[in-house]
Amino acid sequence: MGSVAIITGAGGLIGSAAATRFASLGLDVVGVDNDMRAVFFGAEASTAANLRRLGDTLGAAFTHRNIDVRDEAGIDALFASIGREIAVVVHTAAQPSHDWAAREPLTDFGVNAVGTLNMLEATRQHCPEAPFIFTSTNKVYGDTPNRLPLEEHATRWEIAADHPYAGGIREDMSIDHALHSIFGVSKTAADLMVQEYGRYFDMPTVCFRGGTLTGPAHAATELHGFLGYVMRCTMTGTPYTVFGYGGKQVRDAIHSDDVASAFEAFFRAPRVAEVYNLGGGRHANCSVLEAISISQEIAGRELTWTYDDTNRIGDHLWWIGSNDRLASHYPEWGLTRDIPMILREIYDANVERWTT
């Protein structure tokens, strides 16, 4: 087995968690990151600080390569230079925002779909036995979850208790006949290509269809990073806007460490063309209104927020995913944090720089 982990988007929330995880397993980490996040969302979302932190904490075990995943030749040259020493490929680099994608569809599709194809082909050519781990999204299901039988409660929408998805939405939900958003389409194209490379070329690939991925290292912004941004606005006194659904839209949330733990589980026992929903499930979920309430309690101050009754295109009214398939294949994996724990960790990690 090789000794190198290639991780794209290494300066991001999930990429940096994965880099730390695989370095702890004794692998050398090559982190591919060109800080496109600063291009997407501005200087406040830059991954530069995270990349510096990885360099400081991992030392010689971490090498940063400033390559755009859309650069086919650059990606291929990187893989060729390492070859069979590549033990695992973790592809987290992405354009992650609905709103941004609609403004620049060509860039969005180039990064999310074409970039993923470049990574898959380089893996096939140079290290086809290395597990290929892809961070997909629950947006591959489009707005189909909004057609579930939902009930309005005081602070959230909930599914009917007798529905087959009451414990969480499974991977058997259709991805067809739905409004996906431009972002959802680019990620779906990538998701299907990852599956296809697995089946067609018999490669160990996996799509982790994440819900809300979060943690204290998230460079959260209004367009991406729900829980981190709610807490940031609460702590800094920045006005917050709730978009649609009465603020009762529900998300499950998973900590970046638990995501990296799932990556490790697949790496240790890879499978071909696998697909898993990955999120907080019934263990960790909340509505926007509930997240605001918990953030205010933790921060000890009120959040100034306003309501815009126009929901984001393709936005889910209710998403709680089922982790049952993943847990059945990897019973040693499990969630370690609920919503209050996650928000408390975000608060504690940022109290000195966010508190005004």
Side-chain angles (χ1 to χ4, degrees), residues 21-337:
R21 172 73 57 149
F22 284 104
S24 75
L25 302 181
L27 298 180
D28 292 323
V29 175
V30 176
V32 177
D33 196 305
N34 66 335
D35 203 7
M36 276 292 285
R37 194 173 173 86
V39 175
F40 299 145
F41 308 125
E44 67 176 13
S46 172
T47 58
N50 257 0
L51 289 168
R52 288 193 296 269
R53 178 182 60 79
L54 286 174
D56 291 341
T57 57
L58 302 184
F62 180 74
T63 302
H64 173 223
R65 296 295 301 273
N66 187 1
I67 305 174
D68 191 316
V69 293
R70 294 173 294 179
D71 179 1
E72 179 186 353
I75 291 296
D76 184 75
L78 171 65
F79 276 69
S81 69
I82 304 172
R84 296 283 177 163
E85 286 303 305
I86 300 172
V88 61
V89 178
V90 182
H91 181 39
T92 78
Q95 190 298 111
S97 167
H98 288 134
D99 306 82
W100 201 96
R103 293 201 297 263
E104 292 198 28
L106 290 173
T107 301
D108 173 76
F109 198 86
V111 172
N112 289 348
V114 178
T116 300
L117 178 57
N118 289 340
M119 292 294 298
L120 284 164
E121 183 61 12
T123 301
R124 183 173 79 92
Q125 293 296 334
H126 302 289
C127 53
E129 297 178 358
F132 187 99
I133 298 170
F134 174 58
T135 48
S136 186
T137 172
N138 60 15
K139 301 306 184 292
V140 301
Y141 300 109
D143 64 355
T144 298
N146 292 352
R147 298 196 289 273
L148 294 171
L150 301 176
E151 305 165 346
E152 186 173 5
H153 294 196
T155 61
R156 61 160 53 201
W157 289 91
E158 250 314 338
I159 196 167
D162 60 350
H163 193 276
Y165 289 162
I169 295 169
R170 300 189 301 263
E171 294 82 359
D172 60 3
M173 174 173 275
S174 174
I175 66 172
D176 297 321
H177 307 295
L179 176 71
H180 286 81
S181 80
I182 299 299
F183 160 76
V185 169
S186 66
K187 291 292 285 188
T188 300
D191 182 300
L192 292 174
M193 192 63 80
V194 171
Q195 292 184 58
E196 195 65 21
Y197 264 67
R199 291 191 181 91
Y200 201 89
F201 299 115
D202 195 30
M203 291 168 55
T205 68
V206 61
C207 298
F208 283 107
R209 293 175 173 173
T212 296
L213 312 181
T214 191
H218 208 175
T221 69
E222 183 177 24
L223 297 185
H224 184 250
F226 159 51
L227 284 180
Y229 191 65
V230 169
M231 179 57 82
R232 178 177 181 173
C233 289
T234 303
M235 293 170 68
T236 60
T238 302
Y240 182 82
T241 302
V242 175
F243 291 97
Y245 300 142
K248 297 181 180 182
Q249 56 268 52
V250 170
R251 301 285 180 272
D252 68 358
I254 182 171
H255 192 282
S256 53
D257 287 350
D258 291 340
V259 176
S261 176
F263 291 176
E264 179 185 345
F266 184 83
F267 166 68
R268 291 186 180 279
R271 301 165 65 93
V272 171
E274 199 47 85
V275 174
Y276 302 111
N277 288 344
L278 180 65
R282 280 295 179 186
H283 180 74
N285 62 83
C286 65
S287 70
V288 175
L289 293 180
E290 291 163 353
I292 290 172
S293 177
I294 297 168
S295 296
Q296 290 178 149
E297 183 177 351
I298 291 172
R301 62 187 298 174
E302 295 292 311
L303 170 65
T304 300
W305 63 276
T306 56
Y307 181 68
D308 183 333
D309 63 5
T310 305
N311 60 278
R312 291 188 166 113
I313 296 175
D315 202 13
H316 290 153
L317 183 56
W318 182 89
W319 177 273
I320 293 177
S322 170
N323 293 317
D324 287 353
R325 181 177 174 82
L326 175 63
S328 71
H329 291 169
Y330 302 100
E332 73 282 6
W333 176 84
L335 297 168
T336 62
R337 297 165 176 87

